Each structure stands twice: as C-alpha cells, then as structure tokens.
Amino acid sequence: MSGNNPFDNAMAQLKKAAAYLPQTKELKQKLEILKEPQRIINVTIPVKMDDGIVRIFQGYRVQHNDARGPYKGGIRFHPQVSMDEVKALAFWMAMKCAVADLPLGGGKGGVIVNPKELSAGELERLSRGYARAIADCIGPDKDVPAPDVNTTGQIMGWMVDELIKIRGVKNKRDKEKLSSTFTGKLIKDGGSEGREEATGLGGLFVLQTVLTKLGKKGKLTAAVQGFGNVGFNVAKFLDEVGFKVIAVSDSKGAIFVPGGINPKLTLECKRKNGYLAGCYCSGSVCDLTKGKQISNEALLELDVDVLVPAALESVITKENATRIKAKVILEMANGPTTPEADTILYKRGISVIPDILANSGGVTVSCFEWEQNLKGQHWTKDQVNKKLKEKMQKETNAVWETSKKLKTDLRTSAFVVATNRILKAMK
Ligand code: GLU
C-alpha cells in the first residue's frame, strides 16, 4: 500500500522493479539491504537569531547506500522536511547516481525551516551550524552534499568554509581538495561551470532523446510547475529550443500565458514584484492582458504536450492522474508522481520520464565538480555541457532499451538498470 508518504512510495517503486531482477537468494538478500538507509543522522542546530534569542532547528542527513561510491545528494531547507521525506530522497539519490552511472552512492539532508523568514545573517549561521553538526560524517570520500530545494551556491560556500575551519586546513591545494566535500558551489569557491543550469539542461537532453524515440516533432507546448533553479532553467531551455511554455508556477500560484512565456522576463518581473501573478511576459513585453492567474493544480491539468513537475513530491496522485492531458511528463522534481498515479498514467498511454533519469543532470555535473576539485582542474562550460549531453543521451538510451526489452514503463526500467548496477557493486 502506498499513499503520499514518499518513502513508502519509493519502496513501492523498488518492489515493482524487483520483479524483473534475477530471483537468486544472494540478490534477494542484497535487495533487502538496499531497502534500508545505512545511517541516519539526526541533528539539532542552535542558531542565534537577530533578536538575540537562540532558536533550535531540527536537521537530518540520511546516508542510504555507498556501494558505488561516497554518499551523494543535496540538502533541503523547507518547513515540510521530515525524516520520511529525507529517507526517500536519499534512496532516490542512490538510484539516480546509479542510473547516471556515476561512481557515487546516495544520501540526502534536510533542515526543517522556512528560509524565506530568515535574514541573510540567520541563514548563514544556520548553514554553518548544519555543516558543523554533520562535519564528522562528510568528506570527499565519505559523503558529498550539494544544493537542493531552497539551498544555493552561496550556502555551499558557507558550509565549505566552516568545514575548512573545523579541520584547520591552511594549504591552498588541501583547501581545494576539501572543498570537493560540497558541490554546487559558486565558481569563485571552486564550483563547476554549468552546474547552476545542469539539472535543467540535462532534463532537456533527456526529453529530446525520448521525444525522438516517440517520433514527436514540431512546435510542442509545455507547462512547468515550479520556478526555482530547476523550474526556471527548464522553462528557459525549452523556450530556447522552440517549445511554447504556456504556464509556470511557484508556491503561491501559477500563471497561464497562452502566447508562450518569456522565462527570463518572467523571472525579472517575479524578482521585482515578489510573486508571479501579473508577470504575463511574452515576446519582449510583460502585459496584464496576455495571461491570467491559475492554481498550481490547474497547471497540472492543462492541455499541453509536455508537463514538467519541477517543485515537490506527490503532486500527481490517483486523484488527478485521470485528468492529466499531457502526453509526456518530464519529472524534474524528485518523487512528483505516486505509484497509483503511475499505474493510471501508464494505462492511459502517457509517458512518464522518471525523476531519477530526468533530473540526473544536476548530480552529474556535481560529480564533474567533485572530480575537478580533486584533480585541481577547471573545465570550460563547453567541455562540461558536452560531457553532460553524452551522458544523458547514453543513459536515456539504456533506460529506453530496457523498457522495450522488459515491456514496461520507463520508471521501472530505470529502477531495473540502477538496481542491477548497485547490487553488482554490493559486497
Ligand atoms: N539536489 C539535486 C538532486 O536532487 C542534486 C544533488 C547533487 O548534486 O548532489 O539531484
């Protein structure tokens, strides 16, 4: 049974894929091990607020599996963070790194906080406090965190700086090596070219590969739920390659612009106003007559070719799956579709490109960043994007071929590919 508990949903996905694996006793035992996180770290982070009062924040780091390499995965700052959510996200990271064939395992972190209510100073103290709290459990060959929902390159920079202080590292080259503990850093702190847009660009490469297989061509329409780093960049890349993006949203609501939004202008307008409503930017102007406000739920049910959930988990459920009109769903969020919804969508002939493949571009370039820091290199944006494109196309093809061979959906196939790789690496 599964509902909207993300960890239960993740386990239901694994169970479905497990039926396609060789049923030997040894593999079954390894599969049992893969179901549980190897380590769960529970931390409290005291932070001195601007008014002088100390507030205690609750944080987690879940280290799911390191059979293929160090634990890898972002840190989320969100009021709805919970242990079950972080456990699911850590498990999905293990699967994601395996499906992208990276020498990394899976982990995830989270802090229960609404960062929008913090001042810049409070955010910095919380970030440094979290890094201190998990410092013993992370490192370039142990666990390598990164940004996730509401965390940025700047936050990674504070965390690296804190770790450098804790370890007392002075030498420049040693600092650079230690900085590989966190990826998604700003370029000035040792970040990789292309990392900021990597999740969005990787998603575009995966989508283009699948659309070619499906024989879908011409001017396609898209709706994107979410307008954070991932949602914005996906919308930007889709627009650049000729899609008409007719709707985007943030946590406060969605906008519907039938003429197709201009993502960059929309972002500028949102930054200026603080919200998306009224930012009906199409072509080179923002004009109140060009669009209207709709709900986040309505966005998901728009009649578009491609629907892109790029916000949080469990937004496509058994309640709304029957009303989805898109032909292809590109999962840029982690866990946006529940298992019941998956079954409904599959029966309705809607192709769901699963999160662990669709959004693996981000961690792929994180892996490049880690490699560059460890080797003391800095690759050009062209080099990064070329390697990203090759990887996304190769792994999308592998998942596609598996789905044809097993006659099943893309998520189950991605899970089969990933699980096989992890089980092979397990001792
Ligand atoms: N938070 C991103 C994800 O869910 C990136 C993780 C990483 O770069 O390690 O894939």
Side-chain angles (χ1 to χ4, degrees):
M1 209 199 74
S2 62
N4 289 349
N5 177 321
F7 192 70
D8 290 347
N9 291 347
M11 288 304 111
Q13 294 167 343
L14 180 62
K15 192 173 167 199
K16 194 167 165 198
Y20 293 91
L21 300 175
Q23 304 294 320
T24 67
K25 196 172 155 212
E26 194 199 337
L27 283 185
K28 278 186 180 165
Q29 276 172 5
K30 286 184 176 175
L31 200 65
E32 286 309 305
I33 298 171
L34 183 60
K35 286 181 189 168
E36 296 294 332
Q38 289 175 328
R39 174 147 66 163
I40 294 179
I41 303 150
N42 215 316
V43 296
T44 46
I45 314 150
V47 176
K48 192 164 195 171
M49 306 305 278
D50 290 346
D51 61 7
I53 292 172
V54 173
R55 227 175 105 185
I56 315 245
F57 292 89
Q58 180 74 44
Y60 310 103
R61 182 79 189 164
V62 175
Q63 297 179 328
H64 190 86
N65 188 282
D66 67 349
R68 291 177 50 87
Y71 304 104
K72 182 86 195 80
I75 300 162
R76 174 173 296 201
F77 283 2
H78 196 275
Q80 254 96 55
V81 161
S82 69
M83 177 58 88
D84 274 329
E85 184 195 42
V86 183
K87 272 172 67 184
L89 292 165
F91 166 75
W92 283 323
M93 281 311 303
M95 303 304 275
K96 192 184 302 186
C97 292
V99 95
D101 205 9
L102 305 173
L104 296 164
K108 199 83 170 198
V111 177
I112 307 173
V113 58
N114 182 356
K116 289 169 191 147
E117 287 169 2
L118 302 186
S119 70
E122 289 167 343
L123 185 64
E124 175 171 353
R125 293 194 289 281
L126 174 66
S127 305
R128 288 181 181 275
Y130 179 76
R132 253 192 327 271
I134 63 164
D136 287 349
C137 307
I138 57 175
D141 46 17
K142 238 187 203 178
D143 185 353
V144 182
D148 193 72
V149 175
N150 291 330
T151 48
T152 59
Q154 163 80 83
I155 291 178
M156 296 306 114
W158 289 327
M159 293 189 178
V160 166
D161 187 57
E162 198 60 29
L163 192 66
I164 288 173
K165 279 189 198 154
I166 294 169
R167 304 268 163 95
V169 174
K170 297 264 166 8
N171 169 294
K172 192 165 171 264
R173 181 69 193 109
D174 289 344
K175 277 189 187 171
E176 187 183 14
K177 275 193 200 151
L178 187 59
S179 80
S180 70
T181 305
F182 291 87
T183 61
K185 303 180 290 291
L186 300 174
I187 308 278
K188 73 169 179 59
D189 297 326
S192 176
E193 302 292 341
R195 174 62 186 88
E196 176 113 15
E197 312 93 273
T199 314
L201 186 59
L204 175 74
F205 294 145
V206 172
L207 177 65
Q208 287 176 322
T209 310
V210 171
L211 290 178
T212 306
K213 309 252 184 220
L214 293 171
K216 285 206 191 317
K217 289 198 265 282
K219 181 103 182 159
L220 301 179
T221 54
V224 181
Q225 186 191 46
F227 208 53
N229 172 309
V230 178
F232 165 71
N233 278 301
V234 170
K236 190 190 79 178
F237 288 121
L238 288 176
D239 176 65
E240 275 174 19
V241 300
F243 280 76
K244 187 155 94 170
V245 182
I246 61 167
V248 294
S249 72
D250 64 11
S251 57
K252 297 189 197 83
I255 57 169
F256 174 55
V257 182
I261 71 154
N262 174 329
K264 280 190 188 150
L265 276 187
T266 307
L267 183 65
E268 276 170 32
C269 173
K270 182 192 146 112
R271 285 204 175 131
K272 209 162 70 206
N273 297 353
Y275 42 81
L276 274 171
C279 293
Y280 311 136
C281 310
S282 199
S284 56
V285 286
C286 300
D287 180 338
L288 281 178
T289 64
K290 291 219 154 123
K292 63 174 184 183
Q293 237 184 306
I294 59 170
S295 66
N296 250 303
E297 293 74 36
L299 177 145
L300 297 172
E301 296 172 24
L302 285 174
D303 190 1
V304 285
D305 296 298
V306 181
L307 174 65
V308 187
L312 297 174
E313 307 81 70
S314 304
V315 293
I316 303 175
T317 64
K318 64 177 188 304
E319 318 313 329
N320 63 359
T322 50
R323 297 194 297 270
I324 302 276
K325 295 179 198 72
K327 298 160 199 79
V328 175
I329 299 178
L330 180 71
E331 291 189 332
M332 296 305 290
N334 292 310
T337 312
T338 66
E340 288 98 339
D342 252 342
T343 308
I344 298 169
L345 296 169
Y346 187 64
K347 280 193 191 135
R348 294 186 55 218
I350 297 171
S351 305
V352 179
I353 309 177
D355 48 6
I356 60 167
L357 175 67
N359 70 32
S360 64
V363 74
T364 296
V365 177
S366 271
C367 183
F368 297 164
E369 180 176 335
W370 176 67
E371 205 181 318
Q372 289 171 76
N373 293 158
L374 288 174
K375 292 181 180 161
Q377 298 176 348
H378 190 80
W379 306 347
T380 65
K381 194 165 184 163
D382 280 352
Q383 282 174 306
V384 168
N385 288 350
K386 188 167 171 271
K387 280 166 86 86
L388 174 66
K389 186 172 186 176
E390 282 165 10
K391 198 154 212 23
M392 294 295 102
Q393 290 177 337
K394 180 165 180 252
E395 301 314 331
T396 306
N397 282 328
V399 170
W400 182 269
E401 294 310 323
T402 305
S403 83
K404 291 293 142 214
K405 205 169 96 201
L406 303 179
K407 297 188 177 48
T408 187
D409 59 286
L410 293 173
R411 186 184 322 279
T412 306
S413 311
F415 266 65
V416 168
V417 170
T419 311
N420 268 325
R421 288 177 180 166
I422 299 175
L423 296 186
K424 213 167 126 198
M426 277 164 82
K427 300 263 163 12

